[in-house]
Amino acid sequence: GQQLNQSPQSMFIQEGEDVSMNCTSSSIFNTWLWYKQDPGEGPVLLIALYKAGELTSNGRLTAQFGITRKDSFLNISASIPSDVGIYFCAGQGIQGAQKLVFGQGTRLTINP
Amino acid sequence: DTGVSQDPRHKITKRGQNVTFRCDPISEHNRLYWYRQTLGQGPEFLTYFQNEAQLEKSRLLSDRFSAERPKGSFSTLEIQRTEQGDSAMYLCASSLRSNTGELFFGEGSRLTVL
């Protein structure tokens, strides 16, 4: 079945540093999304990408939909303590299919 | 609070018992989803409703699992004859726009099967 490989699995950074994580797939996706999950909570949507090559920003977050439609990256600039959490990429495949396929997550830890 | 609500938040049960989870989506959202998340993994799709119609089911949804959305509003997910492998977080999500992947998740119902 479809699988997303997310890397790195975990990151330990200092407050103020920039962060970069990515997601790759052997399958083509029509939509790429990035979600963040805090402990004990459900995932929250950060950014949605709908076109190959699209680059979208949301505050300090920037994400890109890879031109091959098989990958995406997420960058966080000038990290702050509330950025701590688990970041998931997700892909939506063929037109009309409703399910999202999620990566295994990148756990971000920030040292103040 | 007008977000997606799930009940109960935590359930501990013995193997072989039946459990039922409830999800109340955001009121104007006609699409409702169930996902399962195990420790250290991303959510896995279980099933999808548009209004009261169950339109998509994962192969993960064995015959011990059944989901309903009888009036197109709240939904229930029942697991019969629970097994230890059913221990997971069961997440409900809703959306208004189709084919966008923009889901609003609830806080989840954590199931522990002893």
Side-chain angles (χ1 to χ4, degrees):
Chain A
Q2 295 173 312
Q3 286 187 319
L4 297 185
N5 296 309
Q6 207 171 329
S7 66
Q9 290 189 354
S10 60
M11 302 183 72
F12 298 85
I13 63 170
Q14 298 293 323
E15 184 178 348
E17 288 186 13
D18 297 342
V19 171
S20 184
M21 59 190 78
N22 67 74
C23 199
T24 60
S25 169
S26 58
S27 305
I28 289 173
F29 287 99
N30 290 331
T31 303
W32 281 91
L33 307 107
W34 287 89
Y35 284 82
K36 178 175 181 267
Q37 187 173 30
D38 293 329
E41 305 288 330
V44 174
L45 179 66
L46 299 175
I47 289 181
L49 303 152
Y50 300 107
K51 291 173 62 175
E54 179 181 356
L55 183 72
T56 297
S57 293
N58 178 8
R60 296 179 295 106
L61 276 60
T62 302
Q64 184 158 28
F65 189 147
I67 198 72
T68 65
R69 295 198 285 161
K70 291 183 177 181
D71 63 310
S72 178
F73 72 73
L74 174 70
N75 288 341
I76 305 172
S77 62
S79 58
I80 59 178
S82 62
D83 291 333
V84 165
I86 304 177
Y87 291 79
F88 291 100
C89 61
Q92 186 175 38
I94 61 173
Q95 188 68 22
Q98 293 294 323
K99 75 172 189 179
L100 296 183
V101 178
F102 281 82
Q104 69 269 51
T106 294
R107 180 181 295 273
L108 179 62
T109 303
I110 298 176
N111 298 317
Chain B
D1 190 298
T2 57
V4 177
S5 63
Q6 293 189 243
D7 182 71
R9 292 291 310 277
H10 299 95
K11 178 72 175 179
I12 299 174
T13 190
K14 293 182 178 179
R15 190 173 51 188
Q17 298 294 305
N18 299 343
V19 297
T20 300
F21 301 114
R22 175 180 171 125
C23 172
D24 287 89
I26 294 172
S27 58
E28 62 267 28
H29 288 186
N30 60 351
R31 292 168 174 82
L32 186 147
Y33 309 78
W34 286 98
Y35 283 77
R36 181 174 70 185
Q37 185 176 26
T38 54
L39 202 60
Q41 301 298 316
E44 295 176 292
F45 172 80
L46 292 178
T47 190
Y48 156 68
F49 290 85
Q50 183 168 326
N51 300 311
E52 65 275 9
Q54 188 174 21
L55 298 183
E56 201 171 337
K57 290 172 62 174
S58 164
R59 284 173 292 178
L60 292 175
L61 215 64
S62 75
D63 56 4
R64 296 185 298 105
F65 288 69
S66 63
E68 294 183 343
R69 196 182 182 197
K71 297 181 180 178
S73 56
F74 74 91
S75 175
T76 59
L77 176 68
E78 182 183 16
I79 309 173
Q80 295 182 325
R81 305 180 303 282
T82 52
E83 302 172 356
Q84 287 186 322
D86 297 332
S87 296
M89 176 78 85
Y90 290 85
L91 291 163
C92 178
S94 68
S95 72
L96 182 60
R97 297 169 59 195
S98 65
N99 299 332
T100 64
E102 296 175 12
L103 303 184
F104 293 81
F105 282 89
E107 294 176 318
S109 293
R110 180 168 294 284
L111 173 65
T112 301
V113 181
L114 302 177

PDB file of all heavy atoms in Angstrom, chain B residues 26-54:
ATOM      1  N   ILE B  26     -17.941  18.882  13.911  1.00  0.00           N
ATOM      2  CA  ILE B  26     -18.321  20.283  13.810  1.00  0.00           C
ATOM      3  C   ILE B  26     -19.663  20.342  13.081  1.00  0.00           C
ATOM      4  O   ILE B  26     -19.837  19.655  12.064  1.00  0.00           O
ATOM      5  CB  ILE B  26     -17.225  21.077  13.085  1.00  0.00           C
ATOM      6  CG1 ILE B  26     -15.963  21.077  13.941  1.00  0.00           C
ATOM      7  CG2 ILE B  26     -17.686  22.491  12.774  1.00  0.00           C
ATOM      8  CD1 ILE B  26     -14.731  21.655  13.264  1.00  0.00           C
ATOM      9  N   SER B  27     -20.589  21.125  13.567  1.00  0.00           N
ATOM     10  CA  SER B  27     -21.991  20.992  13.189  1.00  0.00           C
ATOM     11  C   SER B  27     -22.262  21.137  11.693  1.00  0.00           C
ATOM     12  O   SER B  27     -23.078  20.425  11.133  1.00  0.00           O
ATOM     13  CB  SER B  27     -22.853  21.986  13.969  1.00  0.00           C
ATOM     14  OG  SER B  27     -22.413  23.301  13.723  1.00  0.00           O
ATOM     15  N   GLU B  28     -21.560  22.006  11.011  1.00  0.00           N
ATOM     16  CA  GLU B  28     -21.875  22.200   9.592  1.00  0.00           C
ATOM     17  C   GLU B  28     -21.075  21.272   8.677  1.00  0.00           C
ATOM     18  O   GLU B  28     -21.211  21.319   7.465  1.00  0.00           O
ATOM     19  CB  GLU B  28     -21.616  23.655   9.189  1.00  0.00           C
ATOM     20  CG  GLU B  28     -20.177  24.112   9.335  1.00  0.00           C
ATOM     21  CD  GLU B  28     -19.898  24.770  10.674  1.00  0.00           C
ATOM     22  OE1 GLU B  28     -20.584  24.426  11.664  1.00  0.00           O
ATOM     23  OE2 GLU B  28     -18.986  25.618  10.740  1.00  0.00           O
ATOM     24  N   HIS B  29     -20.233  20.401   9.249  1.00  0.00           N
ATOM     25  CA  HIS B  29     -19.418  19.493   8.449  1.00  0.00           C
ATOM     26  C   HIS B  29     -20.202  18.235   8.106  1.00  0.00           C
ATOM     27  O   HIS B  29     -20.706  17.535   8.989  1.00  0.00           O
ATOM     28  CB  HIS B  29     -18.147  19.107   9.212  1.00  0.00           C
ATOM     29  CG  HIS B  29     -17.159  20.210   9.317  1.00  0.00           C
ATOM     30  ND1 HIS B  29     -15.912  20.032   9.865  1.00  0.00           N
ATOM     31  CD2 HIS B  29     -17.210  21.508   8.925  1.00  0.00           C
ATOM     32  CE1 HIS B  29     -15.250  21.171   9.811  1.00  0.00           C
ATOM     33  NE2 HIS B  29     -16.020  22.085   9.253  1.00  0.00           N
ATOM     34  N   ASN B  30     -20.294  17.919   6.820  1.00  0.00           N
ATOM     35  CA  ASN B  30     -21.035  16.727   6.443  1.00  0.00           C
ATOM     36  C   ASN B  30     -20.127  15.510   6.228  1.00  0.00           C
ATOM     37  O   ASN B  30     -20.604  14.406   6.012  1.00  0.00           O
ATOM     38  CB  ASN B  30     -21.867  16.987   5.172  1.00  0.00           C
ATOM     39  CG  ASN B  30     -21.010  17.377   3.985  1.00  0.00           C
ATOM     40  OD1 ASN B  30     -19.805  17.617   4.114  1.00  0.00           O
ATOM     41  ND2 ASN B  30     -21.617  17.426   2.820  1.00  0.00           N
ATOM     42  N   ARG B  31     -18.823  15.706   6.310  1.00  0.00           N
ATOM     43  CA  ARG B  31     -17.904  14.579   6.130  1.00  0.00           C
ATOM     44  C   ARG B  31     -17.274  14.223   7.468  1.00  0.00           C
ATOM     45  O   ARG B  31     -16.818  15.096   8.211  1.00  0.00           O
ATOM     46  CB  ARG B  31     -16.826  14.945   5.108  1.00  0.00           C
ATOM     47  CG  ARG B  31     -17.406  15.103   3.715  1.00  0.00           C
ATOM     48  CD  ARG B  31     -16.442  15.741   2.747  1.00  0.00           C
ATOM     49  NE  ARG B  31     -16.987  15.749   1.406  1.00  0.00           N
ATOM     50  CZ  ARG B  31     -17.843  16.645   0.949  1.00  0.00           C
ATOM     51  NH1 ARG B  31     -18.255  17.625   1.736  1.00  0.00           N
ATOM     52  NH2 ARG B  31     -18.302  16.563  -0.289  1.00  0.00           N
ATOM     53  N   LEU B  32     -17.232  12.927   7.758  1.00  0.00           N
ATOM     54  CA  LEU B  32     -16.713  12.451   9.042  1.00  0.00           C
ATOM     55  C   LEU B  32     -15.811  11.256   8.801  1.00  0.00           C
ATOM     56  O   LEU B  32     -16.123  10.382   7.981  1.00  0.00           O
ATOM     57  CB  LEU B  32     -17.875  12.074   9.973  1.00  0.00           C
ATOM     58  CG  LEU B  32     -17.527  11.680  11.407  1.00  0.00           C
ATOM     59  CD1 LEU B  32     -18.630  12.127  12.358  1.00  0.00           C
ATOM     60  CD2 LEU B  32     -17.278  10.193  11.547  1.00  0.00           C
ATOM     61  N   TYR B  33     -14.696  11.221   9.529  1.00  0.00           N
ATOM     62  CA  TYR B  33     -13.671  10.204   9.329  1.00  0.00           C
ATOM     63  C   TYR B  33     -13.302   9.585  10.671  1.00  0.00           C
ATOM     64  O   TYR B  33     -13.299  10.264  11.697  1.00  0.00           O
ATOM     65  CB  TYR B  33     -12.392  10.835   8.745  1.00  0.00           C
ATOM     66  CG  TYR B  33     -12.618  11.691   7.518  1.00  0.00           C
ATOM     67  CD1 TYR B  33     -13.122  12.981   7.632  1.00  0.00           C
ATOM     68  CD2 TYR B  33     -12.294  11.219   6.239  1.00  0.00           C
ATOM     69  CE1 TYR B  33     -13.331  13.772   6.516  1.00  0.00           C
ATOM     70  CE2 TYR B  33     -12.486  12.019   5.123  1.00  0.00           C
ATOM     71  CZ  TYR B  33     -13.003  13.287   5.270  1.00  0.00           C
ATOM     72  OH  TYR B  33     -13.204  14.072   4.161  1.00  0.00           O
ATOM     73  N   TRP B  34     -12.923   8.314  10.637  1.00  0.00           N
ATOM     74  CA  TRP B  34     -12.310   7.648  11.771  1.00  0.00           C
ATOM     75  C   TRP B  34     -10.904   7.199  11.371  1.00  0.00           C
ATOM     76  O   TRP B  34     -10.708   6.622  10.282  1.00  0.00           O
ATOM     77  CB  TRP B  34     -13.119   6.432  12.214  1.00  0.00           C
ATOM     78  CG  TRP B  34     -14.386   6.758  12.946  1.00  0.00           C
ATOM     79  CD1 TRP B  34     -15.652   6.802  12.434  1.00  0.00           C
ATOM     80  CD2 TRP B  34     -14.515   7.052  14.342  1.00  0.00           C
ATOM     81  NE1 TRP B  34     -16.557   7.113  13.422  1.00  0.00           N
ATOM     82  CE2 TRP B  34     -15.889   7.268  14.599  1.00  0.00           C
ATOM     83  CE3 TRP B  34     -13.606   7.156  15.404  1.00  0.00           C
ATOM     84  CZ2 TRP B  34     -16.364   7.578  15.861  1.00  0.00           C
ATOM     85  CZ3 TRP B  34     -14.092   7.471  16.656  1.00  0.00           C
ATOM     86  CH2 TRP B  34     -15.458   7.685  16.883  1.00  0.00           C
ATOM     87  N   TYR B  35      -9.947   7.476  12.257  1.00  0.00           N
ATOM     88  CA  TYR B  35      -8.568   7.033  12.099  1.00  0.00           C
ATOM     89  C   TYR B  35      -8.142   6.331  13.374  1.00  0.00           C
ATOM     90  O   TYR B  35      -8.680   6.593  14.449  1.00  0.00           O
ATOM     91  CB  TYR B  35      -7.625   8.229  11.854  1.00  0.00           C
ATOM     92  CG  TYR B  35      -7.658   8.794  10.455  1.00  0.00           C
ATOM     93  CD1 TYR B  35      -8.712   9.627  10.039  1.00  0.00           C
ATOM     94  CD2 TYR B  35      -6.639   8.504   9.540  1.00  0.00           C
ATOM     95  CE1 TYR B  35      -8.736  10.135   8.752  1.00  0.00           C
ATOM     96  CE2 TYR B  35      -6.665   9.012   8.250  1.00  0.00           C
ATOM     97  CZ  TYR B  35      -7.713   9.829   7.871  1.00  0.00           C
ATOM     98  OH  TYR B  35      -7.735  10.331   6.589  1.00  0.00           O
ATOM     99  N   ARG B  36      -7.134   5.473  13.253  1.00  0.00           N
ATOM    100  CA  ARG B  36      -6.536   4.810  14.409  1.00  0.00           C
ATOM    101  C   ARG B  36      -5.062   5.175  14.448  1.00  0.00           C
ATOM    102  O   ARG B  36      -4.390   5.187  13.404  1.00  0.00           O
ATOM    103  CB  ARG B  36      -6.693   3.295  14.303  1.00  0.00           C
ATOM    104  CG  ARG B  36      -6.126   2.536  15.483  1.00  0.00           C
ATOM    105  CD  ARG B  36      -6.449   1.064  15.380  1.00  0.00           C
ATOM    106  NE  ARG B  36      -5.711   0.400  14.314  1.00  0.00           N
ATOM    107  CZ  ARG B  36      -5.891  -0.864  13.977  1.00  0.00           C
ATOM    108  NH1 ARG B  36      -6.798  -1.589  14.595  1.00  0.00           N
ATOM    109  NH2 ARG B  36      -5.175  -1.389  13.023  1.00  0.00           N
ATOM    110  N   GLN B  37      -4.572   5.454  15.657  1.00  0.00           N
ATOM    111  CA  GLN B  37      -3.167   5.823  15.814  1.00  0.00           C
ATOM    112  C   GLN B  37      -2.553   5.002  16.938  1.00  0.00           C
ATOM    113  O   GLN B  37      -3.020   5.045  18.079  1.00  0.00           O
ATOM    114  CB  GLN B  37      -3.029   7.315  16.119  1.00  0.00           C
ATOM    115  CG  GLN B  37      -1.594   7.805  16.171  1.00  0.00           C
ATOM    116  CD  GLN B  37      -1.498   9.306  16.387  1.00  0.00           C
ATOM    117  OE1 GLN B  37      -2.385   9.923  16.958  1.00  0.00           O
ATOM    118  NE2 GLN B  37      -0.407   9.905  15.921  1.00  0.00           N
ATOM    119  N   THR B  38      -1.515   4.260  16.613  1.00  0.00           N
ATOM    120  CA  THR B  38      -0.774   3.528  17.639  1.00  0.00           C
ATOM    121  C   THR B  38       0.475   4.318  17.997  1.00  0.00           C
ATOM    122  O   THR B  38       0.901   5.230  17.275  1.00  0.00           O
ATOM    123  CB  THR B  38      -0.405   2.123  17.156  1.00  0.00           C
ATOM    124  OG1 THR B  38       0.288   2.229  15.898  1.00  0.00           O
ATOM    125  CG2 THR B  38      -1.652   1.271  16.961  1.00  0.00           C
ATOM    126  N   LEU B  39       1.077   3.950  19.125  1.00  0.00           N
ATOM    127  CA  LEU B  39       2.184   4.715  19.684  1.00  0.00           C
ATOM    128  C   LEU B  39       3.349   4.822  18.703  1.00  0.00           C
ATOM    129  O   LEU B  39       3.791   3.824  18.141  1.00  0.00           O
ATOM    130  CB  LEU B  39       2.651   4.035  20.967  1.00  0.00           C
ATOM    131  CG  LEU B  39       3.415   4.919  21.960  1.00  0.00           C
ATOM    132  CD1 LEU B  39       2.541   6.071  22.407  1.00  0.00           C
ATOM    133  CD2 LEU B  39       3.872   4.089  23.155  1.00  0.00           C
ATOM    134  N   GLY B  40       3.791   6.030  18.456  1.00  0.00           N
ATOM    135  CA  GLY B  40       4.940   6.249  17.594  1.00  0.00           C
ATOM    136  C   GLY B  40       4.636   6.206  16.110  1.00  0.00           C
ATOM    137  O   GLY B  40       5.560   6.252  15.291  1.00  0.00           O
ATOM    138  N   GLN B  41       3.362   6.134  15.770  1.00  0.00           N
ATOM    139  CA  GLN B  41       2.970   6.078  14.356  1.00  0.00           C
ATOM    140  C   GLN B  41       2.030   7.211  14.001  1.00  0.00           C
ATOM    141  O   GLN B  41       1.446   7.853  14.882  1.00  0.00           O
ATOM    142  CB  GLN B  41       2.282   4.743  14.062  1.00  0.00           C
ATOM    143  CG  GLN B  41       3.126   3.522  14.336  1.00  0.00           C
ATOM    144  CD  GLN B  41       4.370   3.462  13.471  1.00  0.00           C
ATOM    145  OE1 GLN B  41       4.308   3.718  12.262  1.00  0.00           O
ATOM    146  NE2 GLN B  41       5.502   3.147  14.058  1.00  0.00           N
ATOM    147  N   GLY B  42       1.875   7.444  12.706  1.00  0.00           N
ATOM    148  CA  GLY B  42       0.888   8.400  12.264  1.00  0.00           C
ATOM    149  C   GLY B  42      -0.489   7.775  12.227  1.00  0.00           C
ATOM    150  O   GLY B  42      -0.632   6.544  12.299  1.00  0.00           O
ATOM    151  N   PRO B  43      -1.522   8.588  12.136  1.00  0.00           N
ATOM    152  CA  PRO B  43      -2.885   8.047  12.053  1.00  0.00           C
ATOM    153  C   PRO B  43      -3.073   7.182  10.808  1.00  0.00           C
ATOM    154  O   PRO B  43      -2.493   7.459   9.760  1.00  0.00           O
ATOM    155  CB  PRO B  43      -3.753   9.310  11.967  1.00  0.00           C
ATOM    156  CG  PRO B  43      -2.920  10.394  12.569  1.00  0.00           C
ATOM    157  CD  PRO B  43      -1.511  10.054  12.194  1.00  0.00           C
ATOM    158  N   GLU B  44      -3.900   6.128  10.954  1.00  0.00           N
ATOM    159  CA  GLU B  44      -4.235   5.246   9.829  1.00  0.00           C
ATOM    160  C   GLU B  44      -5.732   5.337   9.585  1.00  0.00           C
ATOM    161  O   GLU B  44      -6.534   5.210  10.516  1.00  0.00           O
ATOM    162  CB  GLU B  44      -3.871   3.798  10.156  1.00  0.00           C
ATOM    163  CG  GLU B  44      -2.401   3.537  10.336  1.00  0.00           C
ATOM    164  CD  GLU B  44      -2.168   2.093  10.760  1.00  0.00           C
ATOM    165  OE1 GLU B  44      -2.552   1.744  11.897  1.00  0.00           O
ATOM    166  OE2 GLU B  44      -1.615   1.321   9.964  1.00  0.00           O
ATOM    167  N   PHE B  45      -6.101   5.506   8.334  1.00  0.00           N
ATOM    168  CA  PHE B  45      -7.499   5.656   7.949  1.00  0.00           C
ATOM    169  C   PHE B  45      -8.286   4.381   8.224  1.00  0.00           C
ATOM    170  O   PHE B  45      -7.834   3.274   7.924  1.00  0.00           O
ATOM    171  CB  PHE B  45      -7.561   5.987   6.452  1.00  0.00           C
ATOM    172  CG  PHE B  45      -8.952   5.995   5.870  1.00  0.00           C
ATOM    173  CD1 PHE B  45      -9.778   7.092   6.030  1.00  0.00           C
ATOM    174  CD2 PHE B  45      -9.417   4.908   5.150  1.00  0.00           C
ATOM    175  CE1 PHE B  45     -11.048   7.108   5.479  1.00  0.00           C
ATOM    176  CE2 PHE B  45     -10.687   4.910   4.591  1.00  0.00           C
ATOM    177  CZ  PHE B  45     -11.505   6.009   4.758  1.00  0.00           C
ATOM    178  N   LEU B  46      -9.475   4.559   8.810  1.00  0.00           N
ATOM    179  CA  LEU B  46     -10.389   3.430   9.019  1.00  0.00           C
ATOM    180  C   LEU B  46     -11.609   3.521   8.110  1.00  0.00           C
ATOM    181  O   LEU B  46     -11.926   2.583   7.387  1.00  0.00           O
ATOM    182  CB  LEU B  46     -10.848   3.371  10.478  1.00  0.00           C
ATOM    183  CG  LEU B  46      -9.788   3.023  11.519  1.00  0.00           C
ATOM    184  CD1 LEU B  46     -10.403   3.046  12.912  1.00  0.00           C
ATOM    185  CD2 LEU B  46      -9.156   1.668  11.227  1.00  0.00           C
ATOM    186  N   THR B  47     -12.333   4.662   8.186  1.00  0.00           N
ATOM    187  CA  THR B  47     -13.555   4.757   7.414  1.00  0.00           C
ATOM    188  C   THR B  47     -13.977   6.214   7.251  1.00  0.00           C
ATOM    189  O   THR B  47     -13.486   7.097   7.950  1.00  0.00           O
ATOM    190  CB  THR B  47     -14.684   3.942   8.066  1.00  0.00           C
ATOM    191  OG1 THR B  47     -15.795   3.859   7.169  1.00  0.00           O
ATOM    192  CG2 THR B  47     -15.135   4.568   9.382  1.00  0.00           C
ATOM    193  N   TYR B  48     -14.898   6.458   6.300  1.00  0.00           N
ATOM    194  CA  TYR B  48     -15.320   7.807   5.940  1.00  0.00           C
ATOM    195  C   TYR B  48     -16.819   7.824   5.673  1.00  0.00           C
ATOM    196  O   TYR B  48     -17.341   6.888   5.021  1.00  0.00           O
ATOM    197  CB  TYR B  48     -14.544   8.247   4.705  1.00  0.00           C
ATOM    198  CG  TYR B  48     -15.192   9.314   3.848  1.00  0.00           C
ATOM    199  CD1 TYR B  48     -15.341  10.607   4.321  1.00  0.00           C
ATOM    200  CD2 TYR B  48     -15.644   9.014   2.560  1.00  0.00           C
ATOM    201  CE1 TYR B  48     -15.926  11.585   3.536  1.00  0.00           C
ATOM    202  CE2 TYR B  48     -16.238   9.976   1.769  1.00  0.00           C
ATOM    203  CZ  TYR B  48     -16.369  11.269   2.255  1.00  0.00           C
ATOM    204  OH  TYR B  48     -16.951  12.221   1.480  1.00  0.00           O
ATOM    205  N   PHE B  49     -17.484   8.844   6.171  1.00  0.00           N
ATOM    206  CA  PHE B  49     -18.910   9.051   5.936  1.00  0.00           C
ATOM    207  C   PHE B  49     -19.128  10.381   5.237  1.00  0.00           C
ATOM    208  O   PHE B  49     -18.497  11.387   5.583  1.00  0.00           O
ATOM    209  CB  PHE B  49     -19.699   9.107   7.255  1.00  0.00           C
ATOM    210  CG  PHE B  49     -19.791   7.801   7.981  1.00  0.00           C
ATOM    211  CD1 PHE B  49     -18.784   7.387   8.827  1.00  0.00           C
ATOM    212  CD2 PHE B  49     -20.905   6.983   7.823  1.00  0.00           C
ATOM    213  CE1 PHE B  49     -18.874   6.188   9.508  1.00  0.00           C
ATOM    214  CE2 PHE B  49     -21.014   5.785   8.498  1.00  0.00           C
ATOM    215  CZ  PHE B  49     -19.989   5.385   9.342  1.00  0.00           C
ATOM    216  N   GLN B  50     -20.032  10.402   4.280  1.00  0.00           N
ATOM    217  CA  GLN B  50     -20.557  11.651   3.781  1.00  0.00           C
ATOM    218  C   GLN B  50     -22.028  11.662   4.140  1.00  0.00           C
ATOM    219  O   GLN B  50     -22.795  10.816   3.653  1.00  0.00           O
ATOM    220  CB  GLN B  50     -20.361  11.790   2.275  1.00  0.00           C
ATOM    221  CG  GLN B  50     -20.845  13.134   1.743  1.00  0.00           C
ATOM    222  CD  GLN B  50     -20.397  13.395   0.318  1.00  0.00           C
ATOM    223  OE1 GLN B  50     -19.315  12.983  -0.082  1.00  0.00           O
ATOM    224  NE2 GLN B  50     -21.234  14.063  -0.450  1.00  0.00           N
ATOM    225  N   ASN B  51     -22.401  12.590   5.003  1.00  0.00           N
ATOM    226  CA  ASN B  51     -23.724  12.558   5.639  1.00  0.00           C
ATOM    227  C   ASN B  51     -23.874  11.207   6.333  1.00  0.00           C
ATOM    228  O   ASN B  51     -23.010  10.817   7.093  1.00  0.00           O
ATOM    229  CB  ASN B  51     -24.808  12.861   4.617  1.00  0.00           C
ATOM    230  CG  ASN B  51     -24.619  14.233   4.008  1.00  0.00           C
ATOM    231  OD1 ASN B  51     -24.430  15.216   4.720  1.00  0.00           O
ATOM    232  ND2 ASN B  51     -24.637  14.309   2.688  1.00  0.00           N
ATOM    233  N   GLU B  52     -24.951  10.457   6.057  1.00  0.00           N
ATOM    234  CA  GLU B  52     -25.127   9.185   6.766  1.00  0.00           C
ATOM    235  C   GLU B  52     -24.541   8.001   6.002  1.00  0.00           C
ATOM    236  O   GLU B  52     -24.532   6.877   6.503  1.00  0.00           O
ATOM    237  CB  GLU B  52     -26.614   8.942   7.042  1.00  0.00           C
ATOM    238  CG  GLU B  52     -27.463   8.745   5.805  1.00  0.00           C
ATOM    239  CD  GLU B  52     -27.924  10.041   5.186  1.00  0.00           C
ATOM    240  OE1 GLU B  52     -27.446  11.104   5.605  1.00  0.00           O
ATOM    241  OE2 GLU B  52     -28.759   9.977   4.270  1.00  0.00           O
ATOM    242  N   ALA B  53     -24.048   8.234   4.814  1.00  0.00           N
ATOM    243  CA  ALA B  53     -23.555   7.145   3.976  1.00  0.00           C
ATOM    244  C   ALA B  53     -22.077   6.856   4.254  1.00  0.00           C
ATOM    245  O   ALA B  53     -21.241   7.756   4.197  1.00  0.00           O
ATOM    246  CB  ALA B  53     -23.744   7.500   2.507  1.00  0.00           C
ATOM    247  N   GLN B  54     -21.793   5.579   4.528  1.00  0.00           N
ATOM    248  CA  GLN B  54     -20.412   5.151   4.715  1.00  0.00           C
ATOM    249  C   GLN B  54     -19.836   4.836   3.340  1.00  0.00           C
ATOM    250  O   GLN B  54     -20.187   3.827   2.728  1.00  0.00           O
ATOM    251  CB  GLN B  54     -20.353   3.921   5.629  1.00  0.00           C
ATOM    252  CG  GLN B  54     -18.951   3.525   6.032  1.00  0.00           C
ATOM    253  CD  GLN B  54     -18.945   2.388   7.062  1.00  0.00           C
ATOM    254  OE1 GLN B  54     -19.915   1.652   7.184  1.00  0.00           O
ATOM    255  NE2 GLN B  54     -17.864   2.254   7.805  1.00  0.00           N
TER     256      GLN B  54
END
